[in-house]
């Protein structure tokens, strides 16, 4: 088990990606895990996630998991910017979501979690190509599936604070639950997140093609057609 990384006694982990109810039910049965859901009566997703994170920080449990993230709107629009089928306007929507998230963070409405665990679809547990928990994501992780910003710019900024878990292809809840628990057991210490505005700014300059092994724009990698579309729309 990892040591505490906050003043609180719990390690707060946000779950993103292919998070299904059977998985959450399985995790809730673990004696070392507590789950905090966003309030159903809060229509604003950023506010609901911020409230859940605030509650999670006060829980006394080795691991407190939250299936909601104040950056979800930013991440969704970041993915849409790289999707040529999504149509125009997502660069502006990304900036709007980013501005709202940064303002909320500066106002003290939320703090980023200790870790992100990102669930991506993958091969079945018996498949030799299945890398299991903690592996570097392959073709199942892309800018277009909503997890790209976590596995791209956020992971680049703090590699140990973003853990990828490849889900079993058949959706077996027990197998996926064990994979997430194994990921929690292997989390490692890391410097805290950079300031939120710097973190989001790094996403602006991150080449989504590097999720598949290409270089980032900041490293001199060539822009993709999606990047060219995004840049000309701003």
């Amino acid at each position: 088990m990892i040591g505490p990384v906050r003043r609180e006694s719990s390690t707060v982990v946000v779950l993103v990606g292919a998070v299904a109810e059977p998985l959450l039910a399985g995790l809730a049965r673990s004696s070392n895990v507590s789950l905090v859901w966003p309030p159903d009566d809060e229509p604003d997703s950023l506010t609901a996630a911020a409230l859940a994170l605030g509650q999670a920080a006060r829980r006394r449990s080795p691991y407190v998991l939250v299936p909601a993230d104040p950056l979800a709107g930013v991440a969704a629009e970041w993915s849409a910017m790289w999707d040529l089928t999504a149509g125009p306007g997502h660069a502006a929507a990304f900036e709007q979501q980013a501005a709202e998230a940064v303002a909320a963070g500066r106002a003290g409405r939320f703090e980023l979690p200790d870790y992100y665990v990102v669930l991506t679809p993958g091969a079945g547990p018996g498949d030799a190509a299945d890398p299991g928990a903690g592996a570097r994501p392959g073709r199942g992780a892309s800018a277009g599936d909503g997890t790209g910003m976590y596995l791209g710019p956020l992971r680049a900024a703090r590699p140990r604070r973003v853990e990828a878990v490849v889900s079993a292809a058949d959706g077996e809840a027990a197998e996926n639950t064990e994979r997430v628990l194994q990921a929690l057991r292997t989390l490692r210490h890391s410097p805290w997140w950079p300031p939120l505005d710097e973190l989001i700014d790094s996403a602006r300059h991150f080449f989504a093609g590097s999720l598949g092994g290409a270089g980032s724009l900041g490293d001199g990698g060539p822009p993709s057609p999606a990047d060219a579309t995004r840049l000309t729309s701003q």
Side-chain angles (χ1 to χ4, degrees):
M1 181 180 297
I2 64 173
V5 293
R6 290 173 172 237
R7 293 191 184 94
E8 293 84 0
S9 59
S10 299
T11 297
V12 177
V13 180
V14 162
L15 301 175
V16 297
V19 182
E21 286 297 331
L23 169 65
L24 296 176
L27 292 170
R29 289 192 288 269
S30 173
S31 60
N32 290 329
V33 169
S34 175
L35 263 69
V36 175
W37 281 267
D40 292 332
D41 58 351
E42 173 53 60
D44 181 70
S45 59
L46 189 157
T47 299
L51 291 171
L53 282 176
Q55 183 181 349
R58 297 188 292 272
R59 288 281 182 94
R60 293 189 175 275
S61 177
Y63 302 100
V64 184
L65 309 186
V66 181
D69 180 33
L71 299 185
V74 183
E77 293 300 338
W78 188 89
S79 296
M81 287 196 304
W82 293 94
D83 183 358
L84 289 175
T85 67
H90 291 286
F94 168 83
E95 294 300 337
Q96 179 180 351
Q97 292 286 340
E100 292 177 2
V102 169
R106 286 175 175 168
R109 291 172 56 194
F110 74 91
E111 185 179 28
L112 290 178
D114 293 306
Y115 298 92
Y116 284 98
V117 169
V118 184
L119 289 100
T120 64
D127 194 315
D130 177 25
R136 185 177 183 86
R139 292 181 62 186
S142 68
D145 67 1
T147 61
M149 195 180 82
Y150 301 99
L151 297 174
L154 267 63
R155 201 181 200 192
R158 292 293 185 269
R160 294 185 176 184
R161 292 197 176 274
V162 180
E163 186 73 11
V165 174
V166 180
S167 302
D170 56 7
E172 174 59 40
E175 173 66 21
N176 289 332
T177 298
E178 180 53 38
R179 292 185 184 194
V180 173
L181 293 175
Q182 176 60 27
L184 296 179
R185 289 190 287 266
T186 58
L187 293 175
R188 296 172 293 172
H189 288 288
S190 170
W192 189 245
W193 298 102
L196 184 56
D197 57 342
E198 295 180 12
L199 193 62
I200 291 179
D201 188 57
S202 71
R204 293 187 178 96
H205 305 289
F206 189 92
F207 176 37
S210 63
L211 289 169
S216 69
L217 289 177
D219 294 332
S224 69
D227 188 50
T229 300
R230 177 173 67 89
L231 293 175
T232 56
S233 65
Q234 293 180 334

